[in-house]
Amino acid sequence: MSDTGLFITVEGCEGVGKSTNISYLESLLSNQGVDVMVTREPGGTALGEDIRNTLLAVRGQRVNPLAELLLIFAARAQHLSEVVEPALASGRWVLCDRFTDATYAYQGGGRGLNTEVIAQLETMVQGERRPDRTILLDVDVSVGLTRARGRGELDRIEQETVHFFERVRETYRERAACEPERFSVIDAGQPLEQVQEVLMQLVQQLLAQSAAGTAL
Ligand code: T5A
């Protein structure tokens, strides 16, 4: 087993099943004796959760896309230094509900911000830190939105148009196609039991690779 933990991120559009499947992954890994922590972005720290609440609040006021981007990276800087890096350094695995792929997808694809600006902030805030593995739960936008909207009130980002989320999904898929060794794309339109069967196989593979000390 390697002496630093694995950094695993879970991504996808609204309502794809990230929270549900992160809980499942956490229990699978814990049952295998892995010391794993679950966290999320934006959030994961007191400051980050304040920023999250600010970002998702519905105020009837347009939020400047660059202000949104900078707030997300401010939360990420705090999250990395306070939570993620110490956990990985101590050998814990970190399961993170969204990370910078979400920024490329939502602020880049969805809002149309320049990808170069996002890449510069990524380097500034993260240095060389990138996820070891990213699980992309992918489903038709309308299916995910129906699931998410079934829960009641919508936050500011959930109120975006279907076209916005189509661009988000497309950006995620493009990124996964560009980095197939990092991304595991799972069809989240399948029944939950089938999604979790795929996750179980993925966990077995990660454990075997980690134990062998081979690249992920
Ligand atoms: N954001 C975030 C940015 O814009 N930029 C960034 O850089 C970052 C990091 C965060 C928001 O911030 C934005 C994106 C987001 O809008 P969030 O809570 O992380 O918000 O994201 P949400 O997508 O809003 O999370 P949700 O809680 O809505 O969705 P989940 O977690 O994907 O879905 P989950 O697990 O709650 O499941 C939804 C429902 O579907 C069912 C579940 O039981 C549940 O009822 N379900 C299934 N049903 C049938 N078949 C399956 N396979 C199912 N899987 C789940």
Side-chain angles (χ1 to χ4, degrees), residues 12-21 40-42 52 56 68 72 76 97-104 106-107 137 147-148 151 155 157-158 165 188-193 195:
C13 284
E14 313 296 303
V16 291
K18 295 180 305 303
S19 315
T20 308
N21 287 304
R40 69 174 181 178
E41 291 214 348
R52 178 189 182 92
L56 300 184
E68 180 178 272
I72 286 166
R76 185 162 296 140
D97 189 339
R98 298 190 184 278
F99 193 61
T100 308
D101 292 298
T103 315
Y104 283 100
Y106 282 77
Q107 281 63 52
L137 296 170
R147 287 183 195 160
R151 280 182 316 215
D155 65 37
I157 295 180
E158 285 169 343
F165 292 114
Q190 309 174 86
L192 192 53
E193 304 70 47
V195 171

Side-chain angles (χ1 to χ4, degrees), residues 61-181:
Q61 173 195 15
R62 181 177 176 272
V63 175
N64 175 278
L66 188 57
E68 180 178 272
L69 177 72
L70 293 171
L71 283 170
I72 286 166
F73 270 107
R76 185 162 296 140
Q78 185 70 24
H79 189 217
L80 280 167
S81 65
E82 186 180 325
V83 173
V84 176
E85 295 294 356
L88 293 172
S90 72
R92 299 187 81 186
W93 289 30
V94 175
L95 264 180
C96 191
D97 189 339
R98 298 190 184 278
F99 193 61
T100 308
D101 292 298
T103 315
Y104 283 100
Y106 282 77
Q107 281 63 52
R111 303 270 187 240
L113 287 176
N114 187 332
T115 304
E116 276 304 308
V117 173
I118 300 174
Q120 284 170 9
L121 288 166
E122 180 180 35
T123 302
M124 184 188 301
V125 168
Q126 298 168 216
E128 295 187 354
R129 174 63 65 198
R130 300 291 181 276
D132 295 302
R133 182 65 71 113
T134 298
I135 297 167
L136 175 60
L137 296 170
D138 182 57
V139 69
D140 198 77
V141 164
S142 61
V143 173
L145 287 177
T146 302
R147 287 183 195 160
R149 288 175 176 166
R151 280 182 316 215
E153 273 187 33
L154 304 180
D155 65 37
R156 185 179 63 84
I157 295 180
E158 285 169 343
Q159 291 182 359
E160 287 295 340
T161 64
V162 170
H163 295 302
F164 174 92
F165 292 114
E166 296 283 8
R167 294 195 297 276
V168 170
R169 183 187 183 201
E170 198 45 43
T171 308
Y172 269 133
R173 287 160 63 100
E174 285 168 9
R175 291 182 66 72
C178 286
E179 286 186 76
E181 65 296 333

